[in-house]
Amino acid sequence: MQESKVNINRIHSLYESLVKRHTSLDSTFHTILNEGMKAFNLSLGIISQIDGDSYALLAVSPEGKDLSAGQVFELKNTYCHRVVSEKKIISIEHAGSDPDFNTHPVYIGMKLESYISAPIWIREKVWGTLNFSSTQIKEVSFSKDDHEFISLMADGIGSLIEMNLLSVEKEDVISALSKNNDILESIFENSTIGMALVSPSGQWVKVNNSLTHMLGYTEDYLLSINFQNITHPDDLTLDLQQLDSLAQGNIPFYQLEKRYLTASENYIWILLSVSLVREDNGDVKYYIAQIQSIDERKKMEMELKNQKEALHEANIILERMATEDTLTEIANRRKFMLWFESEMTRLERHPVPISVALADIDFFKSYNDDYGHQEGDFALKSIAKKLSHTLRGQDKIARFGGEEFILLFPETDEKGCLLVCEKLRKSVESLSTLKRTVTISIGGVTYYPKEGVIVHFDDLLKVADSKLYEAKRSGRNQVKVVNLAVYQD
């Protein structure tokens, strides 16, 4: 469960790094590199671009005098040469013990022992690499989850770079639109993401193959409707508000995550980016829409959310199992000890009297013998509930074992302890839901803190148990309370 939680947390962190709006692509790269170094416990992260035999550093974390963004090396002199040539993830925990690595120029020059790298794919070819390394030997082998995680990171970086490339291409296209329509047509039709021209009324004017393939509609059908027809009702209002702000000139463009209805009658999540072209008189000529499917990312986000909720619920159940008595549904001895230690710590700062008491059901064995264990269990639960409801707000109760309960009374002196114990005793005696009248005997002890004196739980328990025995011996259905100092004297 702990490994699952680690994987969930680091995927969640990666998702936040990818969707967060950073001021620049370089800032996003550094955020992702820092997440990766933390996830793999390695000290160096690099995003590179491969151009023929050249290996250019796009982003380095942390940057130093030896390695910084902008530097270019020969690809053959890098560990990433294998990643590019084999087109797959490569990892090594102890390069010095591997003959394929210990004679490599990087190992000789930098002594990088641990290393993991994945190719960055853009437009169906290896565009660059993402890698993390350290001069320290990695004691634990890279796992399948590690390989899957760095693959997710590389895919995310590839998507960001491709979106950036498309954005640059879009701006170039818009600026040259009036002069060279052929360039626009080529990029529009061959774009790997959905693109469309939309009229001011929302009617699809032109759509590319990527969009029709994504949504499953024919081009003719899309051109016969407007975008409102396939937008999820819950997303439409915000989309129209953003479109109005764009038309009014309040914003230069907008991005929006929304849902489109596909031809198979399923909604998919898309990332919509919208800008516009105006007529010479300033009116909107048409909107330019870029539409990228993020359905898999949204599913991953939902799965992460579900896993986190399931983990939270499991932790609550485990906590209850560890601290709650399953029969009476009140605290168990372990939980009581946590309360006690907390109160004793508080007493060091604010010395006030504290009382502890043991309550035991009188003649409970005969009750079980006469009416059976099922009725006995019912009696235990009823008494536990009655005691819990009778206690003051600050008091604590736990099942101590068998038919015995232990009670903690913060800021309660000897007289207060006697009064509350008597109230508890009478409340049980008044129970009318049991087969016969049941009583309890209670033994209590009060401790008055003294500077330099340390009292342990066993000290109080021993005295409370002694007073409980005295109450039993005196005829039961009684309360006996004593000051710890008097008892010790």
Side-chain angles (χ1 to χ4, degrees):
M1 181 175 288
Q2 185 64 30
E3 291 180 358
S4 174
K5 184 176 181 180
V6 170
N7 287 331
I8 290 172
N9 287 340
R10 68 183 187 178
I11 292 174
H12 183 67
S13 297
L14 172 60
Y15 175 77
E16 290 186 337
S17 300
L18 289 172
V19 301
K20 184 177 181 181
R21 301 289 184 254
H22 292 276
T23 56
S24 66
L25 193 61
D26 184 66
S27 177
T28 305
F29 285 164
H30 278 87
T31 299
I32 294 173
L33 288 177
N34 291 334
E35 288 294 339
M37 289 189 292
K38 182 169 61 175
F40 298 119
N41 195 24
L42 298 175
S43 57
L44 178 64
I46 294 175
I47 298 173
S48 71
Q49 181 178 0
I50 307 300
D51 186 9
D53 295 327
S54 296
Y55 177 87
L57 304 185
L58 285 187
V60 180
S61 185
E63 286 197 335
K65 62 180 180 180
D66 296 325
L67 291 175
S68 60
Q71 290 181 294
V72 180
F73 302 92
E74 287 189 63
L75 179 60
K76 67 180 181 179
N77 291 330
T78 69
Y79 281 172
C80 289
H81 182 258
R82 280 187 60 188
V83 179
V84 176
S85 62
E86 296 179 26
K87 296 181 172 60
K88 67 178 185 180
I89 296 171
I90 299 293
S91 65
I92 184 73
E93 293 81 16
H94 185 184
S97 65
D98 191 320
D100 291 335
F101 282 85
N102 58 20
T103 58
H104 196 281
V106 171
Y107 186 78
I108 294 172
M110 300 179 66
K111 288 294 186 293
L112 292 180
E113 291 286 2
S114 47
Y115 166 84
I116 184 169
S117 178
I120 297 173
W121 291 87
I122 295 180
R123 297 177 180 175
E124 299 182 352
K125 70 176 185 178
V126 177
W127 186 90
T129 64
L130 167 68
N131 68 85
F132 300 90
S133 58
S134 175
T135 56
Q136 302 296 315
I137 297 171
K138 187 172 176 61
E139 300 296 335
V140 180
S141 299
F142 289 105
S143 64
K144 180 181 178 181
D145 285 340
D146 291 332
H147 280 223
E148 290 179 353
F149 183 61
I150 198 172
S151 178
L152 279 174
M153 297 182 78
D155 289 345
I157 292 170
S159 296
L160 289 173
I161 293 173
E162 185 161 0
M163 284 292 290
N164 189 61
L165 291 173
L166 288 167
S167 181
V168 171
E169 291 170 356
K170 182 190 75 172
E171 295 299 325
D172 292 338
V173 168
I174 293 173
S175 65
L177 185 60
S178 59
K179 297 179 181 179
N180 198 338
N181 192 56
D182 289 341
I183 295 177
L184 173 63
E185 286 289 335
S186 176
I187 294 177
F188 186 92
E189 291 298 338
N190 295 309
S191 175
T192 57
I193 67 171
M195 293 191 69
L197 301 181
V198 182
S199 73
S201 66
Q203 189 82 18
W204 301 100
V205 175
K206 188 175 181 61
V207 296
N208 71 351
N209 291 332
S210 293
L211 182 58
T212 57
H213 179 73
M214 182 194 308
L215 300 178
Y217 300 114
T218 65
E219 180 179 354
D220 288 342
Y221 177 76
L222 273 181
L223 296 181
S224 70
I225 63 173
N226 57 42
F227 76 85
Q228 294 96 319
N229 295 133
I230 61 171
T231 296
H232 193 288
D234 293 345
D235 302 332
L236 185 56
T237 299
L238 179 58
D239 197 2
L240 293 175
Q241 288 174 347
Q242 293 284 77
L243 203 63
D244 183 63
S245 293
L246 181 62
Q248 296 297 324
N250 298 329
I251 54 176
F253 66 91
Y254 73 89
Q255 280 191 336
L256 179 67
E257 292 183 357
K258 59 180 285 189
R259 287 158 288 185
Y260 273 151
L261 181 66
T262 66
S264 59
E265 298 187 350
N266 294 316
Y267 281 102
I268 64 167
W269 281 96
I270 59 98
L271 176 63
L272 173 67
S273 301
V274 183
S275 54
L276 58 74
V277 173
R278 296 186 183 274
E279 302 278 9
D280 291 340
N281 64 2
D283 292 341
V284 176
K285 185 174 184 180
Y286 46 73
Y287 298 101
I288 302 173
Q290 294 185 46
I291 301 153
Q292 181 183 20
S293 174
I294 56 170
D295 204 47
E296 288 300 319
R297 182 192 298 174
K298 280 292 185 178
K299 288 177 180 177
M300 181 179 73
E301 179 184 8
M302 185 61 67
E303 180 63 23
L304 284 172
K305 180 181 178 182
N306 292 338
Q307 289 183 8
K308 287 182 70 175
E309 289 176 352
L311 183 63
H312 178 67
E313 290 174 2
N315 286 335
I316 291 175
I317 293 172
L318 288 174
E319 175 66 18
R320 287 186 61 185
M321 290 173 62
T323 60
E324 185 180 282
D325 178 61
T326 55
L327 175 62
T328 61
E329 297 182 350
I330 64 172
N332 60 15
R333 183 169 183 163
R334 179 177 180 273
K335 182 65 174 178
F336 184 86
M337 292 307 301
L338 294 175
W339 285 334
F340 179 81
E341 293 300 331
S342 176
E343 283 299 322
M344 296 311 291
T345 300
R346 192 164 69 93
L347 288 185
E348 294 177 3
R349 301 190 301 270
H350 306 288
V352 290
I354 185 172
S355 297
V356 173
L358 281 175
D360 185 84
I361 302 174
D362 297 328
F363 302 111
F364 188 67
K365 183 179 182 304
S366 69
Y367 191 95
N368 266 332
D369 292 342
D370 291 343
Y371 306 111
H373 286 285
Q374 187 172 356
E375 284 295 332
D377 288 348
F378 177 75
L380 273 172
K381 289 189 284 187
S382 299
I383 293 170
K385 184 176 181 181
K386 189 67 173 178
L387 291 172
S388 298
H389 289 174
T390 308
L391 287 174
R392 303 168 302 177
Q394 73 270 29
D395 299 334
K396 307 292 184 185
I397 182 172
R399 188 180 178 191
F400 205 57
E403 62 270 24
E404 204 168 48
F405 301 92
I406 189 165
L407 303 116
L408 181 67
F409 306 127
E411 299 183 26
T412 303
D413 58 17
E414 187 177 354
K415 181 179 178 181
C417 179
L418 180 61
L419 289 173
V420 71
C421 286
E422 275 293 339
K423 186 177 180 182
L424 292 170
R425 182 190 65 78
K426 291 176 181 177
S427 71
V428 173
E429 189 176 22
S430 67
L431 271 173
S432 59
T433 56
L434 306 182
K435 292 293 185 180
R436 71 180 187 210
T437 299
V438 174
T439 63
I440 59 172
S441 298
I442 304 177
V445 58
T446 299
Y447 168 61
Y448 294 85
K450 293 181 180 179
E451 187 175 351
V453 177
I454 299 175
V455 66
H456 299 286
F457 173 74
D458 288 343
D459 299 330
L460 297 175
L461 178 63
K462 180 180 178 181
V463 178
D465 191 51
S466 173
K467 301 309 290 182
L468 173 61
Y469 178 73
E470 183 180 330
K472 290 279 190 181
R473 189 178 55 193
S474 300
R476 294 181 171 80
N477 194 20
Q478 295 186 36
V479 175
K480 298 291 183 180
V481 177
V482 69
N483 182 336
L484 178 64
V486 173
Y487 182 87
Q488 290 175 333
D489 291 343

